[in-house]
Amino acid sequence: MKILIADSMHPSLFDMLETRGWEYAYHPEYRREDIKAALLEYEGLFIRSKTLLDQELLAAGKKLRFIARAGAGLDLIDLKVVKEMRIEVFHAGKGNRDAVAEQALGMLLSLFNNLLKADREVRQGIWDREGNRGIELMGKTVGLIGYGNNGSATAKRLSGFGCEVLAYDKYRDHYGDQYATESSMEEITQKADIFSLHVPLTDLSRYLIDDDFIAKCAKPFFLVNLSRGEIVKLDAVVKGLQSGKIRGACLDVLENEKIGKLTSAQQEAFDYLRASDHVVLTPHIGGWTHESYVRINEVLVQQIEEWL
């Protein structure tokens, strides 16, 4: 079996493939046209998130048997086309779920305790205790939208903080457990102090958090997004922060993550968010730890081996 690795991967992957006798070519420098030109030779493809695997590109993979996505999201893969072509798709949701959960808690705790603001001030010689009085996570009601790998791992961490965790997942039934209570979206919008998003990007989830959603929420709330940027309309978040309906936001992902190529409207929203002490921003690093970098390989290789 010949495998094309068309993205940067932790070198632990190479030993895993060689141990199993799987031939591979490592070309992290390949772009779309390079992948398209080479794909005919390969039965497997390892990819991260730089390339859209649409019908045009996949048509070149006449021998392609599987795609291994080194991450959780599958929004850059045309799943309808791969199903028609009988190509198996693997993803590494189990590989980075713990890293995502820890990132979510880290961002929330930073926001609640003014850690970024206080750190900046102390470095400038400002010693303002009252202005940095924090909020406790204990006793808050957290609404998790999406209860798969990342959502359930986040719920497990939240349980240690004495939170009531409500979970809604459109695609699952009977998923409540010791860490979260299965709930409707209506119940969550009535009760949640914190919303944390753990859903894939689809036509249904795109701009789920907009002006209408925010208006439906009974209480002012904190927003956490470590899923996909296009699930949240940033101008709606800005308006929510300005009105007080959104008390704070932790955003690891943005509508447009090419910071140097924002539209004028996106730039206006981004400028407001980056100037706000009620917002914590990180560059899509949820799940991006040294440990998950290796674990993703282990999860993918195990899945492929079991499938074979």
Side-chain angles (χ1 to χ4, degrees):
M1 184 168 63
K2 293 179 67 177
I3 298 169
L4 173 62
I5 305 170
D7 233 321
S8 298
M9 302 290 290
H10 189 276
S12 61
L13 176 63
F14 310 141
D15 286 338
M16 296 178 198
L17 299 180
E18 289 167 7
T19 298
R20 290 160 177 83
W22 300 345
E23 185 181 343
Y24 66 89
Y26 184 50
H27 290 290
E29 77 282 3
Y30 272 12
R31 296 303 177 205
R32 179 182 174 85
E33 290 306 313
D34 302 313
I35 297 171
K36 184 178 175 182
L39 204 54
L40 181 61
E41 300 179 32
Y42 297 96
E43 293 139 309
L45 174 65
F46 274 73
I47 199 79
R48 284 193 182 278
S49 56
K50 70 181 181 185
T51 306
L52 174 65
L53 300 183
D54 57 10
Q55 185 170 20
E56 180 192 7
L57 191 151
L58 290 167
K62 303 296 185 184
K63 299 179 184 176
L64 199 61
R65 297 177 62 195
F66 73 85
I67 297 167
R69 159 79 168 96
L74 299 176
D75 45 284
L76 290 178
I77 302 174
D78 191 323
L79 298 177
K80 183 173 180 288
V81 171
V82 295
K83 185 177 181 181
E84 291 170 354
M85 295 179 68
R86 297 183 179 180
I87 298 170
E88 197 74 19
V89 177
F90 303 102
H91 70 90
K94 292 182 179 179
N96 62 5
R97 61 186 177 186
D98 295 324
V100 170
E102 291 188 16
Q103 170 90 2
L105 266 293
M107 295 182 80
L108 265 176
L109 293 171
S110 293
L111 181 66
F112 276 28
N113 294 284
N114 297 305
L115 296 187
L116 302 182
K117 174 177 175 289
D119 177 78
R120 287 195 304 269
E121 290 176 354
V122 172
R123 290 172 189 270
Q124 295 167 15
I126 301 169
W127 195 264
D128 180 13
R129 295 184 68 208
E130 184 56 37
N132 288 297
R133 188 184 291 272
I135 301 169
E136 293 182 11
L137 193 51
M138 173 75 76
K140 300 292 186 293
T141 299
V142 183
L144 299 176
I145 302 178
Y147 203 64
N149 286 304
N150 293 339
S152 58
T154 303
K156 185 176 181 179
R157 271 73 180 174
L158 287 167
S159 67
F161 285 84
C163 296
E164 178 186 12
V165 182
L166 309 177
Y168 169 75
D169 196 308
K170 180 180 177 64
Y171 303 102
R172 299 182 64 193
D173 294 308
H174 312 298
Y175 51 86
D177 57 26
Q178 61 184 313
Y179 304 117
T181 302
E182 183 175 341
S183 306
S184 66
M185 183 70 88
E186 290 72 24
E187 183 179 7
I188 289 177
T189 55
Q190 291 302 302
K191 294 183 177 180
D193 302 298
I194 302 163
F195 285 91
S196 188
L197 307 177
H198 302 276
V199 293
L201 179 61
T202 66
D203 290 339
L204 290 175
S205 66
R206 182 173 277 105
Y207 297 132
L208 172 68
I209 309 300
D210 58 8
D211 293 328
D212 290 340
F213 181 94
I214 294 168
K216 288 176 185 174
C217 296
K219 301 159 67 174
F221 64 90
F222 296 91
L223 176 66
V224 182
N225 187 15
L226 285 94
S227 53
R228 286 292 182 266
E230 289 178 271
I231 293 171
V232 175
K233 281 193 74 68
L234 287 190
D235 61 350
V237 174
V238 170
K239 284 184 276 187
L241 288 165
Q242 291 171 334
S243 71
K245 191 63 180 288
I246 295 180
R247 299 178 65 186
C250 300
L251 304 174
D252 182 51
V253 289
L254 300 175
E255 278 182 82
N256 183 355
E257 294 180 3
K258 296 178 180 178
I259 299 297
K261 297 182 179 179
L262 302 180
T263 65
S264 57
Q266 289 170 342
Q267 187 68 56
E268 184 178 353
F270 179 64
D271 287 344
Y272 181 90
L273 295 171
R274 66 177 176 173
S276 175
D277 288 330
H278 301 291
V279 177
V280 175
L281 299 167
T282 51
H284 203 149
I285 55 173
W288 198 254
T289 63
H290 293 285
E291 291 85 354
S292 71
Y293 202 19
V294 176
R295 198 176 301 121
I296 281 171
N297 293 342
E298 295 170 344
V299 168
L300 288 175
V301 169
Q302 181 181 0
Q303 289 179 39
I304 295 165
E305 191 169 43
E306 290 173 356
W307 170 68
L308 288 171

